[in-house]
Amino acid sequence: MTASRTLALTERLIGRSSVTPEDKGCQDQLIALLEPLGFRCETIVSGDVTNLWARRGTTQPVLVFAGHTDVVPTGPVEQWTSEPFLPTIRDGKLYGRGAADMKTSIAAMVVACEEFIAAHPDHQGSIAFLITSDEEGPATDGTVVVCNKLKERGEAIDYCIVGEPTSSATLGDMIKNGRRGSLSGCLTIKGVQGHIAYPQLAKNPIHLAAPALAELVAEVWDEGNEYYLPTSWQMSNVKAGTGANNVIPGDMVIDFNFRFSTASTAEGLKERVHAILDRHGLEYHLKWALSGYPFLTPRGTLSAALCEAIKAETDVDTELSTTGGTSDGRFIAQICPQVIEFGPPNASIHKIDEHVEVRFIDPLKNIYRRTLENLLK
Ligand SMILES: [Zn+2]
């Protein structure tokens, strides 16, 4: 058996303790591999964050591989079976922080390009890499900055594969063709504090809010669509009370969040929440925070190329899904018509003893290479 270049590169990347927003030289390693392949590499620094834009070719279509070199903190190191930044193989699994999220994907993308370019040096279009070290943190100096720069200079991209770990039980069983949006609200219902024995002299914000909250819980925000489950509204916290059981509190604070589909808009949801609160005659203050727009890539050229590559490599039929948290796909989708996320199984991500199964590493690289062949050969 020949040694796997993808495994070796994955191990080198895991060896860098690039806890967000640190890159710890990961991108320099990628540049050292990409430049000899003919990629023009551009380092884009914003705040504490290092980003890499690397492109080979000047024509369309442009296929972008996107990902992040930063990882989440290890948590208590003594709970790890082996050191989190010392890549270790046990029982067919490669352990280390970032093994699944997402250093294996990055290594697989680079080696897939090496193989594809060696076989097809005069391929069609362009191949690019968009790599950041600010995905697991606030995500304000990372992918969004590079996307804005590309937009500014009119550099169009056509397809983007984000290497997030999207597989579930086995490699290739799930890809993400969108993500829901996330909209949070902090609602303060105003009452009048008073003695609980003299309710006529007070105004109980809990009693005032209850019917409106019941209505918000029962509301059907949308029916979802072909790709999305219906939008969901969830309260994450409710607090009121002064600590004494003989006091009607002066106000009540409710934290809530929408995970919304492309069947709704953030503005539309806000309006409807205000309409319900107003109809109940409440006196309130409501502070909104939109942390991510939803995005959707309907079935098309990119999803077909990827699903075909997965089928050819693994014989697995792929499910398109829009579940899960937000990702950098939301920024790229603003400048790219087709964005799909695909990477290894995600059961261990962000956990103690994060790992990837070694038997998936080369097939993942082969799937990325086959996708290149399907789109740019
Ligand atoms: Zn990730």
Side-chain angles (χ1 to χ4, degrees), residues 38-91:
F39 283 83
R40 260 199 65 237
C41 298
E42 208 179 321
T43 294
I44 299 167
V45 177
S46 176
D48 298 339
V49 174
T50 314
N51 304 292
L52 171 63
W53 173 248
R55 176 168 173 168
R56 181 184 203 270
T58 53
T59 56
Q60 307 298 126
V62 182
L63 168 61
V64 179
F65 288 106
H68 59 88
T69 52
D70 59 328
V71 298
V72 294
T74 60
V77 175
E78 65 280 6
Q79 290 183 24
W80 284 69
T81 310
S82 50
E83 282 189 42
F85 297 110
L86 185 69
T88 307
I89 295 177
R90 287 192 304 278
D91 303 327

Side-chain angles (χ1 to χ4, degrees), residues 68 101 135-136 164:
H68 59 88
D101 186 8
E135 199 274 341
E136 302 288 9
E164 288 296 342

Side-chain angles (χ1 to χ4, degrees), residues 10 18 58 72 95 162 254 268 281 303 313 367 372:
T10 305
S18 54
T58 53
V72 294
Y95 287 86
V162 187
I254 298 121
S303 62
E313 181 65 28
I367 291 167
L372 280 163

Side-chain angles (χ1 to χ4, degrees), residues 1 9 34 44 52 63 82 85 120 166 176 189 217 227 330 361:
M1 200 183 105
L9 178 55
L34 293 173
I44 299 167
L52 171 63
L63 168 61
S82 50
F85 297 110
H120 309 283
T166 58
K176 307 266 169 153
I189 306 285
V217 170
Y227 297 102
R330 69 190 191 269
I361 293 179

